[in-house]
Amino acid sequence: MTESNELHDEGETEVFDLSAIDPSEVIEGGADVTDEERLRSMRSGLDDFELEAEDLEILGADGEFLGFTQPEAEALPVVAIVGRPNVGKSALVNRILGRREAVVEDVPGVTRDRVSYPAEWAGTRFTLVDTGGWEPDAKGIDASVAAQAEVAIELCDVVMFVVDSRVGPTATDERVVQLLRRTKKPVFLIANKVDDAVQEPQAAQLWSLGLGEPRPVSALHGRGVADLLDDVMKALPEESAVARPKLGGPRRVAILGRPNVGKSSLLNKAAGEERVVVNDLAGTTRDPVDEQVEIAGRVWTFVDTAGIRRRVHLSQGADFYASLRTAAALEKAEVAVVLLDVTQEISDQDLRIIDLVLESGRALVLAFNKWDLLDDERRRFLEREIDQDLAHVAWAPRVNISARTGRHLEKLVPALETALDSWDTRIPTAKFNAFVAELVQEHPHPLRGGKQPRILFGTQVQNRPPTFVLFTTGFLDPGYRRFIQRRLRERYGFEGTPIVMNMRIREKRPRAGR
């Protein structure tokens, strides 16, 4: 049999087991047979095959669809941790959270943005804010980091001021004290790196800062942290004076891309404020930063992530842990916006980031950033690169934006909505089997080794992303499965979401008496 031009090298398809129905009636346009009749016939045909308990569960459930629980609207009290660089702020954050959440490395300046984490102690829930090291008269990126720390002090209810007890009070610490006194908020002076009782007298020198009794703790070993938190909880107000209530139900959007592609600029422009540090230095962001933003009247939770570097840069240090947290942020998101720099060629690095999104099963939107800098010559090359390198995600919505100026930022909203609608889509089992019945009548699977695998039944077992299971009598070629996916997109859209197509190969039961 001659293969259809539409299939190219992807193979053809097989025919359904429709023994109870005249085959001529399942040809497209056969109005005499309903979808439900096809479904009953095909479902009954499975009784002749060896099915496992998991198969019966899939067939009986008719699709159990996963969902994301949305947080309730509330404004939790805020505790900010501040101090000069490398005194152990992020280590204390991890100790309070009880897990390694903040990036920690034994060099100054690892944390740059103010990063919020939900925390709980002794039944009291609060928001813990980690900040970058504050330094006076800072220049360049350090000035931006210091500014974020100052914003954190203004937008909190209680301050935990961390000082290195081994070094003692410094001129920078004294400048921080001046800053804290202007806020008139409860301040806890933390003498960190007191690992045992022998080192406790070192904390006494911090009385000179004029903030009251220093609290000796060891963020590394946890010594004294519990007693400190008990006192902090007593100082927290019942209702935050600064926190904005979290709006219930915004969809979570992860912003991904290689370093210096404009992710933080996009978040700042969407938020309408300098929410995260932006600098020409690649790799500015280390920790994922959540922010609720409103674009074109729709509220979203944007998650700015660390740029995913080439593998050679990920072997050690803060960049390695930042990449792990980026992957974790993607897992918590529902849709990913992958930023591509139109002024540079689409690289293997860009493709690896897109593959990361596909592997995670999240919805996908491609945002081509710095569009205002694109000239005619580069535009021609870009279109060629898109056709060649992004053909496998041709189904993803494309938006041309400028994160720096905010140009066409509002076009992200329909693209995100389309991708999420597709990601949530469910096809009823009857309609899906009718679709496959028509498909295999037109394009049967080619013979392989003298045999032709048959599709017995199909069902969608999950959305987010749409996941289908085909019960077959043999292995379906990868090209043929891609052909089914392509036809699914033509029929039902699925714009902006990956499609997962799984097989369960089953054999016929031996006849009685054999």
Side-chain angles (χ1 to χ4, degrees):
M1 180 171 58
T2 304
E3 293 184 335
S4 166
N5 291 333
E6 182 181 13
L7 292 174
H8 301 292
D9 63 344
E10 295 185 349
E12 291 194 37
T13 310
E14 90 166 295
V15 186
F16 270 87
D17 188 13
L18 302 174
S19 55
I21 301 177
D22 183 352
S24 64
E25 294 179 326
V26 299
I27 300 297
E28 184 172 7
D32 297 335
V33 181
T34 66
D35 292 345
E36 286 70 22
E37 288 172 333
R38 287 192 184 95
L39 179 64
R40 286 195 297 270
S41 173
M42 296 166 67
R43 176 64 182 85
S44 63
L46 285 175
D47 295 339
D48 297 331
F49 289 79
E50 297 283 356
L51 299 179
E52 300 175 357
E54 188 177 351
D55 299 335
L56 297 175
E57 184 178 350
I58 291 173
L59 294 170
D62 193 25
E64 292 184 5
F65 298 93
L66 303 182
F68 283 65
T69 57
Q70 301 294 348
E72 298 179 359
E74 56 185 336
L76 297 176
V78 180
V79 177
I81 297 182
V82 300
R84 60 184 177 83
N86 212 32
V87 294
K89 298 184 297 298
S90 294
L92 182 58
V93 167
N94 288 339
R95 176 61 59 183
I96 294 173
L97 296 177
R99 60 187 185 275
R100 293 185 176 182
E101 191 76 32
V103 177
V104 176
E105 190 176 5
D106 193 20
V107 295
V110 173
T111 302
R112 288 169 174 165
D113 300 299
R114 51 187 167 99
V115 187
S116 301
Y117 302 100
E120 182 175 354
W121 180 257
T124 301
R125 297 168 59 227
F126 60 100
T127 298
L128 188 64
V129 179
D130 188 16
T131 64
W134 188 91
E135 291 184 284
D137 305 321
K139 305 294 183 184
I141 188 173
D142 293 331
S144 299
V145 172
Q148 290 296 320
E150 293 176 15
V151 171
I153 293 172
E154 292 298 322
L155 298 180
C156 75
D157 298 293
V158 173
V159 180
M160 297 172 68
F161 175 36
V162 184
V163 180
D164 189 337
S165 64
R166 298 177 184 177
V167 176
T170 67
T172 299
D173 292 327
E174 293 174 354
R175 293 285 296 273
V176 176
V177 169
Q178 296 175 11
L179 188 66
L180 293 175
R181 281 177 175 159
R182 293 198 296 266
T183 67
K184 298 181 180 180
K185 296 178 179 179
V187 177
F188 288 83
L189 177 59
I190 315 299
N192 192 26
K193 305 184 183 180
V194 179
D195 297 334
D196 52 45
V198 176
Q199 296 176 333
E200 281 197 12
Q202 297 176 350
Q205 57 187 325
L206 299 179
W207 278 95
S208 63
L209 291 174
L211 291 177
E213 181 183 358
R215 309 296 182 101
V217 305
S218 172
L220 182 62
H221 302 292
R223 186 175 183 273
V225 175
D227 292 338
L228 167 66
L229 287 175
D230 287 340
D231 292 337
V232 171
M233 295 303 102
K234 295 175 184 177
L236 283 179
E238 292 186 6
E239 293 185 6
S240 174
V242 293
R244 292 175 294 180
K246 293 290 183 181
L247 301 176
R251 309 300 292 262
R252 292 182 61 84
V253 182
I255 307 174
L256 273 69
R258 50 189 164 120
N260 218 26
V261 76
K263 300 181 296 298
S264 296
S265 296
L266 175 60
L267 177 58
N268 285 341
K269 184 59 66 173
E273 60 176 307
E274 293 301 310
R275 176 62 182 84
V276 288
V277 174
V278 175
N279 193 273
D280 290 337
L281 174 67
T284 299
T285 302
R286 259 77 179 269
D287 301 274
V289 177
D290 291 18
E291 181 72 8
Q292 287 194 0
V293 302
E294 182 176 345
I295 306 176
R298 178 80 184 269
V299 177
W300 308 85
T301 297
F302 271 24
V303 184
D304 184 20
T305 63
I308 300 178
R309 294 173 173 266
R310 294 188 297 273
R311 297 180 193 274
V312 67
H313 294 301
L314 292 178
S315 58
Q316 60 184 1
D319 289 327
F320 171 75
Y321 292 103
S323 69
L324 294 183
R325 282 156 178 77
T326 294
L330 178 59
E331 289 299 320
K332 295 177 183 178
E334 299 171 89
V335 57
V337 175
V338 176
L339 257 64
L340 302 166
D341 187 342
V342 297
T343 64
Q344 301 180 24
E345 291 185 13
I346 297 175
S347 65
D348 293 338
Q349 201 174 350
D350 294 319
L351 299 179
R352 187 163 63 86
I353 294 168
I354 292 173
D355 288 341
L356 185 66
V357 177
L358 299 182
E359 291 168 7
S360 73
R362 298 305 182 260
L364 173 65
V365 172
L366 300 178
F368 292 85
N369 192 26
K370 306 182 183 179
W371 197 260
D372 53 325
L373 303 179
L374 189 66
D375 56 37
D376 292 338
E377 182 179 2
R378 174 63 191 140
R379 189 191 302 267
R380 289 194 298 271
F381 284 106
L382 177 63
E383 290 297 333
R384 187 182 310 166
E385 292 166 14
I386 292 172
D387 292 339
Q388 294 176 350
D389 299 332
L390 301 181
H392 65 301
V393 287
W395 42 263
R398 289 170 45 185
V399 182
N400 304 327
I401 65 172
S402 171
R404 181 178 60 85
T405 65
R407 179 176 181 263
H408 290 168
L409 196 61
E410 71 283 354
K411 292 186 177 181
L412 269 179
V413 171
L416 291 170
E417 290 176 337
T418 297
L420 285 167
D421 287 345
S422 298
W423 198 56
D424 291 332
T425 294
R426 171 191 175 179
I427 300 178
T429 302
K431 286 188 176 296
F432 178 63
N433 280 284
F435 158 78
V436 180
E438 296 172 1
L439 186 67
V440 298
Q441 284 287 336
E442 296 174 5
H443 303 286
H445 195 289
L447 293 173
R448 290 293 182 261
K451 295 183 178 180
Q452 186 180 55
R454 295 168 41 234
I455 301 177
L456 303 167
F457 192 81
T459 185
Q460 183 178 355
V461 296
Q462 180 183 308
N463 59 359
R464 301 187 168 196
T467 303
F468 299 87
V469 170
L470 297 176
F471 291 85
T472 70
T473 61
F475 183 80
L476 301 182
D477 289 346
Y480 189 74
R481 295 201 301 273
R482 290 194 298 271
F483 168 63
I484 296 176
Q485 290 176 342
R486 189 168 66 248
R487 280 300 191 90
L488 266 175
R489 294 188 186 281
E490 292 175 2
R491 174 72 63 88
Y492 295 104
F494 288 118
E495 184 181 0
T497 181
I499 298 175
V500 180
M501 191 71 63
N502 296 324
M503 290 182 303
R504 301 182 77 86
I505 302 173
R506 295 295 175 257
E507 296 180 354
K508 252 190 175 180
R509 291 193 180 97
R511 292 184 180 178
R514 287 194 177 184

